[in-house]
Amino acid sequence: VQLQASGGGLVQTGGSLRLSCVVSGSIFSIRIMGWYRQAPGQPRELVAGFTRGAVTKYADSVKGRFTMSMSRDNDGRTMYLQMNDLKPEDTAVYYCAADPTQLVTPAYWGQGTLVTVSS
């Protein structure tokens, strides 16, 4: 399973960005996908997590502002993270992740994409 994230960049406070992550390979085994982020000097945190057949869950800090969604094409699966009303504290490297059963320690990771929110 391979994950390729993109879409990060520099945005002003209150702006929006959409991150994308293409999931390819043996995707039939993947039931859980999510987005993490890691700010400088901080531990990595789960931002949004999707379990097949269940409701997407969000960190309290992003509820109402971030939305995770997915599409499926012939080659794989793409997940998105729509981020609205961005704040300076959202500045971090964002990673997509996937696993057959859990998101505590996902087996598969994307390479990370930097989001910088200026004040």
Side-chain angles (χ1 to χ4, degrees), residues 6-100:
S6 61
L10 174 64
V11 64
Q12 292 185 333
T13 296
S16 298
L17 280 175
R18 189 175 80 155
L19 306 183
S20 300
C21 178
V22 177
V23 186
S24 60
S26 301
I27 63 172
F28 62 88
S29 66
I30 300 302
R31 291 182 51 83
I32 302 179
M33 294 183 285
W35 288 95
Y36 284 75
R37 68 183 180 187
Q38 187 167 22
Q42 299 296 319
R44 192 173 294 184
E45 65 169 339
L46 180 63
V47 174
F50 169 82
T51 301
R52 192 186 302 172
V55 176
T56 302
K57 295 184 178 180
Y58 298 91
D60 288 342
S61 58
V62 306
K63 281 181 182 176
R65 301 188 297 121
F66 289 14
T67 304
M68 180 178 176
S69 62
M70 269 164 293
S71 65
R72 186 164 187 170
D73 56 33
N74 291 332
D75 297 327
R77 185 180 296 161
T78 303
M79 56 176 159
Y80 304 95
L81 186 68
Q82 178 66 43
M83 306 184 292
N84 298 328
D85 189 22
L86 283 161
K87 304 175 181 182
E89 51 264 41
D90 294 319
T91 295
V93 178
Y94 284 72
Y95 300 88
C96 52
D99 192 273

